[in-house]
């Protein structure tokens, strides 16, 4: 349980005349409470108040797990046969004189909002706590950075496993399976997102899906992967060559590497998120491939793999020490070649340090 962050949130609620906050995102719930769960279609919620103790609301089958997680306050459960919204509203009305209930608006579905709104007529739901949570999570503590470094170390292990599996005739999906199998044997039970291995022209799709495509000589292979370690994520990308790359493949790789290293070297407190995107984009544009860099430079990382902020041209957010985000330029020429190189980093007083250490010079496997 993160007492400091709970206190920060409840202080903000009091200053905004809100009796309670309804936190609905499982990752945010874990961030505050320490209880990690994926409820699927069931309702999981955390309620924080400046005047009363907080409480967790969980499916009945997870009540004991929530209590055993170290959460010291009430855990209210509901059966599948019960209406969770009626039970939530009855609990809220028994604890608070509700006038204003703050919501995590970037997560709550319309259906669930309408259920609350219908049962709590006259309650003000206008207050959004999403920006407050984003600001809280923006700067990491030393302990959080240590955990992110551990997650990064496991991403490096995953790269090593994946690179060792590359051979002629093996499919993208077989390499994915090998990476995740070997990690599970080592005690890493969850990836932070679906592991991506894309070969040849498939890598020209930034969000391509691994399939039956087999590894062939003289092709590039893109690996995008990360793990969850003690509730925190890693995310990194490397592109390697199987046998000697073509002149175009090596040229594109060198441009992307230049963009990644140039942007990473520019990270320091005081620069803006938009300026970092412009720096990397400028490198790629200077070589004539700007149209093929078709996504933002990066995103925040922490308890989820994509957090605030977004590193994109026009974002004037000032970078501060302790912020953690990805640097991931890429060039994707349809039907020809795709290259992306990514590290997530944390900002120091004078620069930044990457969470992953796998070498970025083009690795050629023969």
């Amino acid at each position: 349980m993160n007492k400091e962050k709970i206190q920060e949130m409840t202080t903000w609620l009091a200053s905004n005349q809100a009796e309670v906050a309804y936190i609905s995102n499982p990752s945010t719930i874990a961030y505050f409470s320490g209880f990690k769960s994926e409820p699927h279609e069931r309702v999981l919620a955390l309620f924080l108040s400046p005047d009363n103790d907080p409480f967790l609301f969980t499916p009945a089958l997870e009540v004991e797990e929530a209590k055993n997680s170290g959460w010291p306050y009430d855990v209210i459960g509901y059966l599948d046969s019960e209406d969770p919204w009626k039970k939530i509203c009855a609990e809220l009305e028994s604890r608070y004189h509700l006038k204003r209930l703050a919501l995590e608006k970037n997560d709550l579905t319309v259906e669930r909002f309408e259920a609350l709104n219908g049962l709590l007529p006259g309650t003000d739901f206008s207050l959004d706590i999403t920006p407050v949570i984003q600001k809280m999570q923006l700067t990491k503590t030393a302990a959080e950075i240590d955990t992110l470094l551990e997650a990064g170390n496991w991403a490096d292990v995953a790269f090593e496993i994946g690179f060792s599996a590359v051979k002629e005739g093996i499919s993208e999906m077989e390499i994915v399976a090998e990476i995740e199998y070997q990690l599970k044997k080592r005690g890493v039970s969850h990836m932070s997102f679906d592991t991506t291995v894309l070969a040849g022209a498939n890598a020209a799709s930034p969000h391509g899906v691994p399939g039956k495509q087999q590894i062939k000589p003289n092709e590039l292979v893109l690996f995008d992967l990360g793990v969850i370690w003690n509730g925190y994520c890693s995310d990194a990308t490397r592109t390697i060559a199987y046998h000697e790359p073509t002149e175009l493949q090596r040229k594109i790789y060198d441009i992307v590497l230049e963009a990644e290293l140039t942007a990473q070297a520019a990270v320091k407190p005081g620069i803006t998120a938009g300026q970092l995107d412009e720096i990397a984009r400028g490198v790629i544009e200077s070589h004539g491939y700007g149209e093929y860099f078709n996504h933002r430079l990066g995103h925040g990382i922490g308890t989820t793999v994509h957090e605030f902020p977004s590193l994109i041209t026009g974002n004037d957010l000032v970078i501060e020490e302790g912020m953690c985000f990805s640097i991931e330029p890429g060039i994707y020429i349809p039907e020809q070649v795709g290259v992306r190189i990514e590290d997530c980093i944390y900002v120091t007083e004078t620069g930044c340090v990457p969470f992953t250490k796998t070498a970025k010079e083009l690795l050629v496997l023969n």
Side-chain angles (χ1 to χ4, degrees):
M1 185 183 72
N2 196 328
K3 291 183 179 179
E4 181 181 339
K5 295 300 181 181
I6 289 176
Q7 180 62 54
E8 188 177 341
M9 174 57 73
T10 56
T11 299
W12 184 88
L13 291 170
S15 67
N16 286 272
Q17 295 79 50
E19 290 81 14
V20 63
Y22 166 31
I23 296 169
S24 51
N25 186 301
S27 294
T28 313
I29 291 169
Y31 178 72
F32 284 109
S33 72
F35 174 57
K36 304 174 183 68
S37 172
E38 176 45 67
H40 303 291
E41 76 282 2
R42 295 183 173 94
V43 178
L44 176 70
L46 170 65
F47 294 91
L48 301 179
S49 169
D51 301 316
N52 299 78
D53 285 342
F55 71 94
L56 278 167
F57 184 85
T58 77
L61 51 84
E62 295 190 0
V63 167
E64 291 306 312
E65 187 177 352
K67 290 179 178 178
N68 293 334
S69 70
W71 177 250
Y73 301 107
D74 287 347
V75 180
I76 310 299
Y78 80 97
L79 298 168
D80 287 346
S81 57
E82 295 181 290
D83 183 332
W85 304 108
K86 287 183 178 179
K87 194 160 187 177
I88 284 174
C89 291
E91 195 68 35
L92 291 173
E93 289 176 330
S94 72
R95 292 170 182 254
Y96 316 110
H97 180 60
L98 278 180
K99 292 183 179 179
R100 172 174 273 193
L101 192 155
L103 301 173
E104 196 176 3
K105 290 189 176 182
N106 72 330
D107 177 77
L108 195 62
T109 65
V110 173
E111 180 186 31
R112 293 188 172 191
F113 170 73
E114 288 178 345
L116 275 176
N117 192 39
L119 291 168
L120 295 172
T123 302
D124 178 2
F125 294 104
S126 62
L127 200 59
D128 184 11
I129 58 173
T130 297
V132 185
I133 294 169
Q134 289 177 337
K135 187 175 180 181
M136 283 183 186
Q137 295 179 326
L138 189 58
T139 303
K140 269 60 176 182
T141 65
E144 287 179 301
I145 288 172
D146 284 344
T147 305
L148 286 163
L149 281 166
E150 291 184 60
N153 288 339
W154 281 110
D156 286 327
V157 172
F159 281 134
E160 184 178 353
I161 295 166
F163 298 168
S164 296
V166 172
K167 61 183 178 181
E168 187 169 356
I170 193 171
S171 72
E172 297 164 336
M173 189 56 74
E174 286 176 309
I175 298 174
V176 170
E178 181 67 11
I179 291 169
E180 297 189 358
Y181 171 67
Q182 291 297 337
L183 286 177
K184 281 181 168 59
K185 286 179 66 176
R186 292 164 167 82
V188 178
S189 57
H190 292 94
M191 308 304 288
S192 53
F193 56 95
D194 291 342
T195 302
T196 299
V197 177
L198 300 171
N202 283 359
S205 174
H207 278 177
V209 178
K212 296 181 179 180
Q213 173 80 15
Q214 295 181 339
I215 305 299
K216 301 174 185 175
N218 314 112
E219 286 189 336
L220 300 182
V221 185
L222 185 152
F223 292 77
D224 188 359
L225 52 81
V227 311
I228 300 174
W229 184 256
N230 289 340
Y232 285 78
C233 299
S234 55
D235 180 10
T237 306
R238 294 292 186 271
T239 306
I240 66 170
Y242 182 58
H243 292 195
E244 285 302 313
T246 66
E247 183 178 342
L248 175 64
Q249 290 167 351
R250 187 175 286 278
K251 177 183 178 181
I252 296 302
Y253 188 93
D254 288 345
I255 294 169
V256 174
L257 179 59
E258 180 186 352
E260 207 262 359
L261 293 175
T262 303
Q264 196 172 111
V267 176
K268 61 180 178 181
I271 198 169
T272 69
Q275 286 173 324
L276 290 173
D277 181 271
E278 289 168 4
I279 288 167
R281 202 167 299 278
V283 170
I284 292 174
E285 288 175 346
S286 72
H287 289 280
Y289 291 93
E291 65 181 295
Y292 300 111
F293 179 17
N294 55 13
H295 57 74
R296 63 188 175 182
L297 177 64
H299 55 80
I301 192 164
T303 57
T304 59
V305 74
H306 282 186
E307 284 190 358
F308 182 80
S310 180
L311 275 68
I312 188 67
T313 297
N315 186 350
D316 60 1
L317 176 76
V318 176
I319 300 303
E320 298 177 4
E321 184 177 355
M323 289 184 180
C324 302
F325 49 81
S326 68
I327 302 285
E328 49 179 306
I331 294 176
Y332 315 92
I333 304 176
E335 305 302 324
Q336 294 189 56
V337 61
V339 174
R340 183 167 63 255
I341 302 170
E342 172 190 14
D343 286 302
C344 288
I345 58 89
Y346 67 93
V347 182
T348 67
E349 185 178 358
T350 58
C352 71
V353 176
F355 293 119
T356 36
K357 313 299 183 187
T358 299
K360 288 180 281 197
E361 296 76 14
L362 181 58
L363 175 64
V364 179
L365 299 177
N366 291 303

